[in-house]
Amino acid sequence: MKPLFKKALAGLIALLVIIACNTETGGSGTVSAAPAAQPVLLKVNNYYVTYTAPKAPYVDAQNRIMVPLRSVSELLGAKVGYDPASKTASITLNGQTVTFTIGSKALSVNGGAASMDTVPALYKNAMFIPLSVLAANLQIENAWDQANHLFTLTGDNLMQNDLIKLGIEDFEHGAFTRPPGTIISENAFRPVSYTYDSASGLFSLKAKNITGSDVAEGAADVAVYLLYKDSVQFPNPDRARPVVKKDGTLEVSVQKGTPSGITYVLVKGRLLDRSGS
């Protein structure tokens, strides 16, 4: 067993008793958390990536989605190096290497000079880079949904770090955390906005029913995972799953269960088959 996963496993076991306090309601109620609602901009495989410490993905002045360098390594599986003296990051994946410099429109692709229309930024000692530029040059399959302002990345080598692959994926299929029904769709609800109050640890999400039909009671499975440095907080498997009308919304609120800082908030919007229940 890998050392990192041993550490993650210990954290997961410790947190299995900390089930997120989720409340869900159908309709179009108002999120009551103090921070302003933020749009959900990024999806990687079946996960919507809502929050990434120290700042959620955001759109810069050039309409580029910016993500922290750390997430490139941990979510996309790229090899990342950073030189603080030159403020330059080197990112390698799929046999491609891209180099960015904070404050510069110039970049290097496999040693060749190139340019872009925006600049990487520094926020709380974290480098933020334009995701679309990175994805194009690393040959990651990607798509931009203009209607919903959602950028999607797809690939078998993405979202493969231990906490996600071995932690979430394996543990949620165990008796303790699996949803009460067979998953028949991984693309039934699309998160559209959220708030995160870091002071209180409250995360609130609004997700839209995109199945094209009413969703029966018990069939909605909007799962919110709070990731910490070496552990995961799972959603409450017994949370309410109300009826959600066609094109209606479902609201989920999750209270952080540990004093540790959140590194990521990931969401899945699934549909369950409850015909046998």
Side-chain angles (χ1 to χ4, degrees):
M1 186 178 291
K2 296 180 180 179
L4 175 60
F5 182 58
K6 286 183 179 179
K7 185 178 181 182
L9 183 59
L12 284 165
I13 292 173
L15 273 179
L16 285 179
V17 297
I18 304 176
I19 298 299
C21 298
N22 292 47
T23 57
E24 302 183 0
T25 56
S28 56
T30 302
V31 176
S32 59
Q38 302 293 322
V40 177
L41 302 169
L42 176 61
K43 185 180 183 184
V44 183
N45 290 343
N46 290 322
Y47 289 94
Y48 291 89
V49 181
T50 57
Y51 180 77
T52 54
K55 184 178 181 178
Y58 68 93
V59 177
D60 72 359
Q62 299 299 322
N63 290 317
R64 297 287 189 176
I65 295 176
M66 307 292 285
V67 296
L69 186 63
R70 173 180 178 175
S71 68
V72 171
S73 171
E74 296 182 344
L75 301 184
L76 305 187
K79 181 179 179 181
V80 172
Y82 180 70
D83 179 8
S86 62
K87 298 182 179 179
T88 297
S90 177
I91 304 164
T92 300
L93 183 69
N94 298 327
Q96 304 290 109
T97 298
V98 184
T99 302
F100 295 93
T101 302
I102 292 175
S104 175
K105 292 184 178 180
L107 68 152
S108 169
V109 181
N110 295 328
S115 63
M116 53 187 170
D117 61 359
T118 192
V119 297
L122 188 66
Y123 177 80
K124 291 188 177 180
N125 294 319
M127 183 178 185
F128 279 73
I129 59 175
L131 185 57
S132 59
V133 175
L134 179 70
N137 285 294
L138 291 183
Q139 299 180 356
I140 301 174
E141 183 178 348
N142 64 87
W144 170 246
D145 180 349
Q146 176 63 35
N148 296 306
H149 295 88
L150 183 69
F151 191 66
T152 300
L153 302 179
T154 307
D156 292 339
N157 58 340
L158 309 182
M159 306 297 275
Q160 293 295 300
N161 75 64
D162 285 337
L163 275 183
I164 296 173
K165 185 176 184 297
L166 302 178
I168 295 176
E169 296 296 332
D170 284 3
F171 269 71
E172 81 168 358
H173 288 93
F176 188 77
T177 57
R178 66 169 179 244
T182 302
I183 298 170
I184 57 176
S185 174
E186 293 278 2
N187 191 36
F189 287 85
R190 177 176 56 80
V192 293
S193 65
Y194 72 94
T195 62
Y196 174 52
D197 187 340
S198 58
S200 66
L202 181 66
F203 179 88
S204 299
L205 176 82
K206 179 182 289 186
K208 182 179 180 179
N209 174 6
I210 57 174
T211 64
S213 305
D214 293 350
V215 172
E217 182 178 1
D221 191 56
V222 178
V224 178
Y225 306 91
L226 306 185
L227 275 65
Y228 304 90
K229 182 179 178 181
D230 56 9
S231 56
V232 177
Q233 180 175 317
F234 289 94
N236 186 346
D238 298 322
R239 61 193 181 277
R241 292 180 169 86
V243 173
V244 185
K245 295 295 185 179
K246 175 184 175 181
D247 299 325
T249 59
L250 180 69
E251 294 192 19
V252 181
S253 293
V254 181
Q255 184 68 51
K256 187 173 72 169
T258 171
S260 301
I262 293 175
T263 56
Y264 299 101
V265 179
L266 306 179
V267 179
K268 282 190 173 184
R270 304 175 293 201
L271 182 67
L272 303 180
D273 180 3
R274 299 301 305 280
S275 59
S277 61

